[in-house]
Amino acid sequence: DTRPPKIVVESPSADAQISNSAVILSGIIVDPNPIASLTLNGQSMPVTQGAFRYPVVLVPGLNVFFLSATDAAGNVGTTRWEATLSQP
């Protein structure tokens, strides 16, 4: 297998306008191999049966996150997720 894992952020939706600074980033990783690791901006995140739920704190304005998943075959998939925290 030489295909990288596909990271799908399900919530909040991409380019979301959010009014609460604390959100749960959740989604799935699609890959035929088990997922060896998942990181968010370089920080390790837990993965359970190909799914993830992780709390993040947003700052006012645009927030950009980079997710990277590595499968058991050593293939690496990445994605960029953005959200904007509305200022009061």
Side-chain angles (χ1 to χ4, degrees), residues 12-88:
S13 61
D15 301 319
Q17 295 285 327
I18 299 172
S19 58
N20 186 353
S21 64
V23 298
I24 301 293
L25 185 64
S26 63
I28 59 171
I29 304 169
V30 179
D31 195 84
N33 291 309
I35 301 303
S37 68
L38 175 65
T39 61
L40 174 68
N41 291 351
Q43 299 288 334
S44 182
M45 291 175 57
V47 179
T48 304
Q49 297 177 342
F52 60 90
R53 287 180 49 84
Y54 195 74
V56 296
V57 177
L58 305 177
V59 297
L62 179 64
N63 291 259
V64 179
F65 295 92
F66 295 93
L67 293 98
S68 178
T70 304
D71 67 15
N75 303 306
V76 179
T78 60
T79 194
R80 174 183 167 134
W81 177 79
E82 296 181 3
T84 300
L85 177 60
S86 302
Q87 299 189 16

